[in-house]
Amino acid sequence: MRLRVILAPDNIRKLDILEILTSEEQLKKILKEKLDIKNDFLVQFEDPEFGNEPCNLTSITELPSDKVVLHIIQKSADSDVSSLDTASVSSESSCLSSPAMANKQRESLQWPSVFVIPQFSYDVELRLEKANKDFTDNGKLLLMIPRDMKIDILDELAQAIFTFKAYPTAEELEDVAIALVKKHPCLRDPGPGKGHRSWIMSLRYKMGNYRQKLSSAGCSEVLVNRKRQNNTDCRRIKKAKRCEVNFLPDNPSGHSDTSLENEKDALKEEMKKKNKKMDLIQMKMELTFSLRRKEIVMEQPLVADILLQWPALFLPEQISAEFFRITQTNLMSRFFTALDEYAPKMIKLYRARAGACGAAMKKLLEEVDDQLTGVLAFRKAAALRGLPLIMKEEPGHFLKTCLDTEPEENCVTGMRMGILTVVEDDAATILPNTRGHAIVLEEQIVVDDVSDLPTAFALLFGLIYNLNMDYPNQLKYTFEALQKVFMCLDTDCSARVQSFKNKILKY
């Protein structure tokens, strides 16, 4: 069994266990020995049945059979074991008891498939218990909710929501409202319908007021959107729009912008060395994450400036690591799992729609049919190359091929965002060999020597998130499909992407 063990945000280990596990205690003993854990700890695993949400491990049979992601929660000497086992992820003590704790929790939580309603204050819980009993016995609703009671309910819900994100969508607010009236049916709206519409409106206003309080307190993620006095320009709201979990986090506890600038300088010096210490780079990239996001989100610098200030951000392994910090999603694993599943279905769809997609699609399918070696890899690359065509978009300069003897400036001219395939300049060869692929942003090569086209696609998608870039207008549906169909980041698809998703699922 292969384990990915998360001890802390900056301490993630890979572990192979050859023994056949028979109990939770045996697993804990192995973890304690191999990872040198001193204190007692709680083991949580990411449950695939619930969207990889962490769940407490109570039986060894609950673990997936091959690869498992574990979260280790170490207990201090005076911690109460029972409170750790039963605490809700959205309770007040676990949400915002301190800014550092709240920030750390948001680094590991995604919006849940089922929202857990937090525990309210003791007197509110007593009143709700009585009102729920009246509803069960007599069908009587709590029509006149006391003001102090409603304030307490909305305050607790706002804190619980902020644990996951500062700017919830309308659908997510509806999830909370539905969960609330399901747990406390006495709070349902009178009349027809599902009985939660008024709570959606209340939550929308409460989250606005709560963000205003956090802005006054200096919370970075909402402070960036505060309107400036005497500024007539309507600034573009800088908030998570593509399911980012950590869009603009606060600085780590004990660190200021000045101390993180020093770490940034040390990171730049390390990148200049011939023999780089990758562990040190990883540690400092984790530490300076909040500073880097502030610069990228708030200042919106050019890619060339980011490359100069944060050269480590363009290392392939750090592209994946940064994407995970932002979305809590494994970039390469999720992308290639989806590609393995969808590529054959996409090729079938391309064949069925070849006539409507034009000559470019027909040529692509002819190349697939003519391929004699590395057929599976070629089909995966072809599935991605055909994605803009099936979306009825114009790739333009997005996918471009050049000779290895051409000057770089000639190759990247006109490429605001794209993938450059470099082939050998050999006139005697009918099918020239591919030397590699490069990722181009703002007419500049930012990642070179990428082995294959699918990897280049994945890295480019990660860079779009890491650099907070917009999708190119001429390929917005292509990248939406990558985000929502391949990476499963959001389910609210446009009509065109939803149609594509429905069609490939039929094959």
Side-chain angles (χ1 to χ4, degrees):
M1 179 181 291
R2 174 159 291 185
L3 305 178
R4 183 175 184 269
V5 186
I6 302 175
L7 297 163
D10 59 350
N11 188 5
I12 301 174
R13 308 277 290 278
K14 185 167 70 174
L15 187 63
D16 290 315
I17 297 180
L18 302 179
E19 300 98 318
I20 298 177
L21 299 176
T22 59
S23 67
E24 180 195 0
E25 291 303 320
Q26 180 190 6
L27 174 62
K28 293 181 71 172
K29 182 179 179 181
I30 293 173
L31 293 174
K32 184 173 289 189
E33 291 176 353
K34 294 194 175 185
L35 301 178
D36 194 27
I37 304 175
K38 304 299 182 183
N39 298 328
D40 191 16
F41 59 92
L42 177 71
V43 179
Q44 294 183 337
F45 71 102
E46 293 189 1
D47 193 338
E49 294 183 359
F50 295 95
N52 293 327
E53 290 292 321
C55 298
N56 289 353
L57 179 63
T58 58
S59 173
I60 202 68
T61 58
E62 297 175 332
L63 293 178
S65 58
D66 48 0
K67 296 180 181 179
V68 185
V69 179
L70 298 180
H71 296 257
I72 303 300
I73 303 176
Q74 299 195 43
K75 305 172 186 175
S76 58
D78 57 349
S79 65
D80 183 0
V81 175
S82 62
S83 64
L84 278 171
D85 288 337
T86 59
S88 166
V89 293
S90 52
S91 66
E92 181 177 5
S93 60
S94 64
C95 285
L96 295 174
S97 58
S98 71
M101 183 179 296
N103 193 40
K104 183 176 180 181
Q105 273 216 328
R106 297 185 69 199
E107 291 177 358
S108 59
L109 295 179
Q110 293 183 351
W111 190 265
S113 55
V114 178
F115 192 88
V116 179
I117 299 300
Q119 193 83 3
F120 303 124
S121 63
Y122 183 66
D123 64 301
V124 171
E125 288 288 345
L126 284 177
R127 285 187 276 183
L128 285 174
E129 182 179 357
K130 180 181 178 181
N132 286 331
K133 189 175 185 305
D134 285 345
F135 177 82
T136 303
D137 296 341
N138 309 313
K140 183 180 178 181
L141 295 172
L142 189 61
L143 298 178
M144 298 296 293
I145 304 175
R147 184 174 181 273
D148 63 322
M149 182 178 177
K150 189 166 186 177
I151 289 175
D152 182 83
I153 291 173
L154 292 174
D155 282 344
E156 293 293 338
L157 291 176
Q159 292 183 38
I161 292 169
F162 189 79
T163 303
F164 299 99
K165 54 171 57 179
Y167 295 90
T169 64
E171 291 78 11
E172 289 162 346
L173 290 178
E174 186 174 12
D175 289 344
V176 179
I178 291 173
L180 177 64
V181 299
K182 183 176 181 180
K183 182 176 180 180
H184 300 293
C186 65
L187 298 176
R188 290 172 55 89
D189 299 335
K194 297 181 180 180
H196 62 271
R197 303 306 301 177
S198 67
W199 286 104
I200 297 177
M201 186 65 67
S202 297
L203 285 169
R204 183 178 294 117
Y205 284 115
K206 171 54 69 173
M207 287 306 298
N209 293 335
Y210 190 61
R211 286 192 293 266
Q212 189 173 12
K213 290 182 181 179
L214 292 174
S215 178
S216 300
C219 177
S220 298
E221 188 165 354
V222 294
L223 186 63
V224 68
N225 292 319
R226 185 178 61 184
K227 292 183 178 179
R228 309 297 182 191
Q229 294 181 351
N230 300 325
N231 185 2
T232 57
D233 294 333
C234 182
R235 303 197 317 150
R236 185 164 64 92
I237 298 298
K238 297 177 175 64
K239 63 180 181 180
K241 296 179 180 179
R242 296 190 294 238
C243 292
E244 296 96 333
V245 177
N246 298 301
F247 183 69
L248 193 61
D250 291 317
N251 290 337
S253 180
H255 286 276
S256 63
D257 285 354
T258 302
S259 65
L260 293 179
E261 283 287 353
N262 294 333
E263 297 291 344
K264 172 185 174 182
D265 292 339
L267 180 60
K268 290 165 67 175
E269 289 299 319
E270 184 64 30
M271 284 296 297
K272 295 177 181 178
K273 297 179 181 178
K274 183 177 181 180
N275 297 319
K276 303 176 181 62
K277 297 180 180 178
M278 301 310 296
D279 290 343
L280 179 63
I281 291 173
Q282 170 68 15
M283 182 192 72
K284 292 191 178 298
M285 286 291 286
E286 288 277 359
L287 186 61
T288 56
F289 176 53
S290 60
L291 178 66
R292 186 163 56 254
R293 290 301 291 175
K294 286 178 185 176
E295 291 184 8
I296 291 173
V297 174
M298 299 175 70
E299 299 176 14
Q300 300 180 348
L302 296 173
V303 171
D305 295 332
I306 301 175
L307 187 60
L308 182 64
Q309 295 297 319
W310 299 97
L313 186 58
F314 295 87
L315 296 174
E317 56 270 25
Q318 284 305 317
I319 294 174
S320 298
E322 188 84 350
F323 185 83
F324 185 82
R325 296 180 194 111
I326 295 170
T327 65
Q328 292 299 297
T329 300
N330 188 302
L331 175 63
M332 292 301 179
S333 175
R334 179 75 63 85
F335 185 87
F336 280 98
T337 298
L339 185 60
D340 289 342
E341 178 183 356
Y342 294 138
K345 301 178 181 181
M346 292 167 69
I347 295 296
K348 290 180 181 179
L349 176 62
Y350 296 168
R351 293 190 189 280
R353 301 288 297 172
C357 294
M361 181 65 81
K362 292 180 180 179
K363 181 180 178 182
L364 176 63
L365 293 174
E366 288 174 359
E367 293 176 2
V368 172
D369 294 336
D370 294 341
Q371 188 68 23
L372 299 177
T373 60
V375 175
L376 290 179
F378 191 85
R379 282 174 175 266
K380 292 176 184 178
L384 293 172
R385 287 164 55 198
L387 187 56
L389 303 177
I390 201 70
M391 289 295 172
K392 294 181 172 54
E393 294 183 309
E394 178 54 52
H397 291 285
F398 176 67
L399 294 174
K400 190 174 179 180
T401 301
C402 73
L403 301 175
D404 57 359
T405 55
E406 287 187 63
E408 180 179 314
E409 57 270 19
N410 293 348
C411 299
V412 300
T413 300
M415 294 187 72
R416 303 298 297 172
M417 179 185 296
I419 298 172
L420 187 65
T421 300
V422 182
V423 298
E424 291 182 354
D425 186 3
D426 189 351
T429 305
I430 299 177
L431 295 175
N433 294 323
T434 299
R435 294 289 301 271
H437 303 270
I439 298 173
V440 180
L441 295 174
E442 296 178 0
E443 298 187 342
Q444 180 172 0
I445 293 178
V446 295
V447 183
D448 203 356
D449 295 327
V450 182
S451 59
D452 55 75
L453 186 66
T455 300
F457 259 89
L459 292 176
L460 174 58
F461 185 80
L463 281 170
I464 290 174
Y465 269 73
N466 298 351
L467 305 181
N468 195 37
M469 301 182 73
D470 294 329
Y471 297 149
N473 287 332
Q474 69 273 21
L475 291 170
K476 63 178 182 179
Y477 293 112
T478 298
F479 281 97
E480 183 189 345
L482 293 177
Q483 175 194 333
K484 298 178 181 179
V485 181
F486 277 67
M487 299 301 297
C488 301
L489 293 170
D490 202 357
T491 56
D492 186 16
C493 301
S494 64
R496 194 177 302 188
V497 173
Q498 186 64 51
S499 175
F500 165 76
K501 183 178 180 181
N502 294 339
K503 288 175 182 175
I504 63 172
L505 291 177
K506 289 180 182 178
Y507 289 97

